[in-house]
Amino acid sequence: MSGNEEFGSCLYKDAKAPIEDRVKDLLSRMSLKEKVAQMTQMERTTVTPHYLKDVGVGSVLNVGGSAPFERALSSDWADMIDGFQRLALKSRLGIPIIYGSDAVHGNNNVYGATIFPHNIGLGATRDADLMQRIGAATALEVRASGIHYTFAPCVAVCRDPRWGRSYESYSEDTDIVRKMTSIITGLQGKPPEGHPNGYPFVAGRKNVVACAKHFVGDGGTEKGLNEGNTVLSFEDLEMIHMAPYFDCIANGVATIMASYSSWNGRQLHADHFLLTKVLKDKLDFKGFVISDWEGLERLSKPFGSNYQRSISAAINAGIDMVMVGYKHDRFLEDLVFLAESGEIPMSRINDAVERILRVKFVAGLFEYPFADRSLLDVVGCKPHRELSREAVRKSLVLLKNGKDPSKPFLPLDKNARRILVVGTHADDLGYQCGGWTIAWHGISGRITIGTTILDAIREAVGEKTEVIYEKHPSPSTLANLDFSYAIVAVGESPYAEFTGDNSELVIPFNGTDVINSVAERIPTLAILISGRPLVVEPWLLEKIDGLVAAWLPGTEAQGITDVIFGDCDFSGQLPVTWFRSVQQLPMNPRENSYDPLFPLGFGMTYKKPNSFN
């Protein structure tokens, strides 16, 4: 007899019963320790059968780069997660785990998945329908791997490109970010008319639980410091940074993640006013609030000290589920003690667990806890890669086209006799994809299945066109003037979070010198692969013939060649201001002193040169 057979006829197991009745029935059967366990999210490498079957933890996640093994496929992930689930279902009450992962631009931790452009590029598209379709495709590939829950989308409004997470933001403009929240209706499905505002919604087994993050103000910190301090009035915080959450909640987003950052010196993970009074009470959010990774440890200095006090502050502030990092035993013990002592009221514990169970019931985990293996064929399928290719096309922003406005340099002649391709980013899939791809901070090389810029160029040009590629062009090659034109692809190496904080924003790997050395001798198109604007000196801009901001396009670089060779027109518009120098930062288009290299919204097309789209 399994540990949960005696509950086989209970109301909470009745799929036809109202969700709120099921939540209340299950909650009434739970001990304090079982409730606290549901509030616990453990990293997959720390999970043992004891925690799943005997303790009954509520959730498991993998941090970026944490995989079953190198190059594990979706089926391997499904095997691992289903194994966790089988153990969880043997717990006393048989409550399934919800497994979470940072699938922030496709199911980016999984080898062979379709990797879409990062958010900054998608913000350049201004295309809400495209976002919905990307969300739906991502949901299918995530569910194929057995994952139920993605920590996406990031709806930060990035006001300073020095921030290391700037590419996770769709735009510096709140209205653009709000438009892009349509990805939630792709990930979770579109709520039916009349669906209660604030109540979580997940359409079915082909959808995933989404997470709007990071609440709130993470993109507005002083000097763009990651985990920094956002200094604003509540009115400005609400108008600029909170507004996208109105749309997320209206679309039935099931979870919201608290920010590492602070608001006027108050750490968000312990801000009762914002997490409870505003988010839960005023905005009527009925899903659960989750901490960020080791977010509680950050509430004390030195890091991780006064842990029990940090738990009390975070849970009382309104955190429902905690990414405990590696302190799961301490967290479970301390939270039980705090509840038994009354420092954390049982009403707060019950509220947190109700919210977690509500999301699990809404997501259908009690009825369908295991991976849907019929979805495995969609992972990296042609339609999804074509969708990513479309997203790349629409994300590209043309910043310069010819030294003479009457003589455009683009589109390039794909039947040219001989062309030169150079640069650190011309043939590096990892650089194209950026951070949060296979590894947490990203990594160089052929890290997954996809097409590099060089691959795409070779595929696009005519049979008689000779393509010469040198990552670092030699003097003898540059001395050869027998090239029709050159394509130089340079940009940033991958980064994530604080590893990307950057106060200089120059093109790495001597990118400016590489572009200059080529452009001095050969008509040159420069393609910047980056998660934000970088410094482009005026003299360099004058010297090159064409400049394209390609952001972090992901695995399908054919989208770049579709446009630079003229099969499709440019349509992307800058989602952020392109500054002249870092001394201007932060910049605000509404200020009289606004003097950018290229303004927010700029983007040329073949049909409308030197103008806004």
Side-chain angles (χ1 to χ4, degrees), residues 159-171:
R159 288 303 177 95
D160 194 321
R162 291 174 289 188
W163 186 34
R165 304 188 80 142
S166 56
Y167 63 81
E168 296 186 52
S169 169
Y170 295 110
S171 178

Side-chain angles (χ1 to χ4, degrees), residues 85-232:
Q85 195 70 283
R86 278 189 287 272
L87 289 166
L89 294 176
K90 291 179 180 178
S91 62
R92 187 180 78 92
L93 295 171
I95 304 174
I97 59 162
I98 182 169
Y99 188 99
S101 186
D102 284 282
V104 298
H105 63 140
N107 199 15
N108 42 263
N109 290 295
V110 178
Y111 184 85
T114 309
I115 307 300
F116 294 93
H118 266 300
N119 288 355
I120 191 170
L122 297 177
T125 73
R126 311 289 204 277
D127 192 332
D129 175 70
L130 175 68
M131 293 303 301
Q132 190 277 331
R133 289 184 284 136
I134 288 174
T138 299
L140 290 173
E141 298 204 16
V142 169
R143 288 308 296 262
S145 65
I147 297 169
H148 319 107
Y149 178 21
T150 174
F151 307 124
C154 177
V155 294
V157 179
C158 178
R159 288 303 177 95
D160 194 321
R162 291 174 289 188
W163 186 34
R165 304 188 80 142
S166 56
Y167 63 81
E168 296 186 52
S169 169
Y170 295 110
S171 178
E172 71 184 42
D173 183 275
T174 302
D175 289 340
I176 294 172
V177 176
R178 296 187 72 170
K179 190 175 185 180
M180 299 294 100
T181 60
S182 60
I183 192 172
I184 290 171
T185 61
L187 292 167
Q188 295 189 162
K190 187 174 179 62
E193 191 172 341
H195 184 78
N197 184 66
Y199 199 87
F201 177 81
V202 181
R205 297 180 69 190
K206 294 183 179 180
N207 296 95
V208 294
V209 172
C211 180
K213 66 184 188 183
H214 309 84
F215 192 83
V216 60
D218 50 336
T221 61
E222 292 183 305
K223 298 183 180 180
L225 289 177
N226 192 56
E227 304 181 22
N229 187 32
T230 298
V231 180
L232 280 178

Side-chain angles (χ1 to χ4, degrees), residues 2 32 47 116 171 180 229 243 419 488 518 527 605:
S2 68
L32 174 59
V47 174
F116 294 93
S171 178
M180 299 294 100
N229 187 32
I419 65 177
V488 180
V518 178
I527 300 175
T605 71

Side-chain angles (χ1 to χ4, degrees), residues 116-117 122 125 127 129-131 133-134 383-396 556 558-560 562-563 568 571:
F116 294 93
L122 297 177
T125 73
D127 192 332
D129 175 70
L130 175 68
M131 293 303 301
R133 289 184 284 136
I134 288 174
H384 287 183
R385 293 191 182 276
E386 286 297 322
L387 176 60
S388 182
R389 182 173 179 171
E390 176 190 347
V392 175
R393 284 198 300 268
K394 292 180 174 179
S395 71
L396 302 176
E556 310 310 310
Q558 302 99 319
I560 296 175
D562 287 342
V563 180
C568 301
S571 61

Side-chain angles (χ1 to χ4, degrees), residues 79 95 117 147 149 162 176 197 266 282 313 373 377 386 412 416 418 424 433 437 537 543 552 571 586 598:
D79 290 342
I95 304 174
I147 297 169
Y149 178 21
R162 291 174 289 188
I176 294 172
N197 184 66
R266 293 159 46 180
K282 181 180 178 181
R373 308 287 173 137
D377 287 343
E386 286 297 322
L412 301 174
R418 199 162 186 248
T424 49
C433 293
T437 315
E537 299 288 355
K543 189 168 289 188
L552 298 170
S571 61
F598 301 105

